[in-house]
Amino acid sequence: MMRVRAAAVLAVLTLVTLPLIPVQWLALRSRGPVKRRLPVIWHRIACAVVGIKVREIGRPATGRPLLITANHVSWLDITVLGSRMPLSFVAKTEVASWPVFGLFAKLQRSVFVDRQRRSATARTAEELGTRLAEGDAMVLFAEGTSNSGNEVLPFRSALIGAARHAVAGDDGDVWIQPLALAYTRLHGLPMGRQFRNHVAWYGDMEMIPHFMNVVRQGAVDVTVVWGEPVRAAPGGDRKALTRTLEGEVRRLAGAARAERLDSVPAGPMRATAAHAILKSDENG
């Protein structure tokens, strides 16, 4: 039965994807909104066909430039977040060469970063800054890698700081918004630590078998929580900012995994307070 389901899901995704690929390629060469909107339509169809139910709490910031810093659990994060609004992603360079998924990443207008070469950070930050300045909302998986989904790894500060400076320079601000993802239920039942590997993709897991398992099973519930955006002032302490963002994502992800978000009070992050903290770091 699961094989029949997998075949049906793949057939539908293929029928939807093949005609959209050339349309998106053409849209990438234009200045219109289609190149941003078409991936959203595809991701929403993919979520519906695979059986991914997204619960969204909070809302994305309306201010621009906007950099979104998120935790990273699975390749599925791209489809989940991509179904919410027009977004592009910061991805590791290896993704560009992956069969099928590399093509999708390029069509999503991803920015690729070589995490093994520190010298590449400046080039990536410049490209990221250009995209942010053009009004694109960009998602950075700030841990630098995916994990089991049961925790949030320490955030890396280098690209956050470099991107902020690339887009805002010495006298401008940029909005940075924390975002938490948590996969909570499988076939309507609480997933728990022991079953989260059904969607978590990390370590030396192979992509195709993992992808096929998700397609066969379906029926996954995921919670997306938008934290309160920080207006990052120029000259601030990037490490302090990174710790603040990491702490908020860890708090929200933990509450989402426990499915206790309705009772969780607002976090300590406030745009004005964070702005003041960054200014005091600069002055102190």
Side-chain angles (χ1 to χ4, degrees), residues 167-187:
V167 67
D170 295 325
D171 57 359
D173 294 343
V174 59
W175 290 100
I176 304 182
Q177 185 167 22
L179 182 146
L181 287 136
Y183 294 86
T184 57
R185 290 179 175 261
L186 180 61
H187 294 285

Side-chain angles (χ1 to χ4, degrees), residues 47-48 50-55 80 84 184-185 219-223:
C47 282
V50 176
I52 309 301
K53 182 180 178 182
V54 183
R55 178 191 182 196
V80 170
R84 301 298 89 198
T184 57
R185 290 179 175 261
V220 171
D221 289 12
V222 56
T223 300

Side-chain angles (χ1 to χ4, degrees), residues 2 117 127 139 142 152 184 235 251 281:
M2 286 189 178
R117 295 172 53 206
E127 183 179 357
V139 177
V152 173
T184 57
R251 185 185 75 89
D281 287 333

Side-chain angles (χ1 to χ4, degrees), residues 55 182-185 196 251-261 264:
R55 178 191 182 196
Y183 294 86
T184 57
R185 290 179 175 261
R196 203 158 276 126
R251 185 185 75 89
L252 294 175
R257 286 192 299 269
E259 299 187 90
R260 295 176 179 171
L261 278 164
V264 172

Side-chain angles (χ1 to χ4, degrees), residues 76-239:
L76 199 56
D77 299 346
I78 306 296
T79 294
V80 170
L81 295 181
S83 70
R84 301 298 89 198
M85 62 178 285
L87 294 168
S88 292
F89 297 85
V90 180
K92 58 185 180 181
T93 51
E94 301 95 289
V95 173
S97 61
W98 289 357
V100 181
F101 295 96
L103 173 61
F104 287 175
K106 293 172 184 176
L107 292 175
Q108 187 85 35
R109 305 169 64 233
S110 298
V111 171
F112 298 102
V113 56
D114 187 347
R115 297 187 184 277
Q116 304 303 315
R117 295 172 53 206
R118 290 192 175 185
S119 59
T121 299
R123 179 192 59 79
T124 302
E126 182 178 357
E127 183 179 357
L128 185 55
T130 300
R131 293 285 301 281
L132 287 166
E134 291 174 350
D136 289 323
M138 303 294 300
V139 177
L140 172 66
F141 293 116
E143 297 158 296
T145 186
S146 55
N147 64 74
S148 67
N150 294 312
E151 59 184 344
V152 173
L153 302 177
F155 279 14
R156 299 184 179 187
S157 64
L159 201 54
I160 293 175
R164 197 221 66 77
H165 187 270
V167 67
D170 295 325
D171 57 359
D173 294 343
V174 59
W175 290 100
I176 304 182
Q177 185 167 22
L179 182 146
L181 287 136
Y183 294 86
T184 57
R185 290 179 175 261
L186 180 61
H187 294 285
L189 299 175
M191 195 174 290
R193 298 179 68 91
Q194 66 272 37
F195 296 115
R196 203 158 276 126
N197 277 358
H198 171 72
V199 292
W201 180 68
Y202 62 104
D204 58 358
M205 291 181 177
E206 295 185 11
M207 168 65 87
I208 299 303
H210 192 274
F211 170 80
M212 290 304 300
N213 186 45
V214 172
V215 168
R216 282 194 296 265
Q217 293 276 351
V220 171
D221 289 12
V222 56
T223 300
V224 174
V225 191
W226 297 92
E228 189 163 357
V230 174
R231 190 173 185 177
D237 186 332
R238 64 177 172 85
K239 292 186 177 181

Side-chain angles (χ1 to χ4, degrees), residues 30-53:
S30 73
R31 295 187 177 182
V34 175
K35 62 186 177 185
R36 292 185 175 95
R37 297 300 310 178
L38 201 57
V40 179
I41 295 171
W42 187 90
H43 287 303
R44 288 180 179 176
I45 293 172
C47 282
V49 171
V50 176
I52 309 301
K53 182 180 178 182

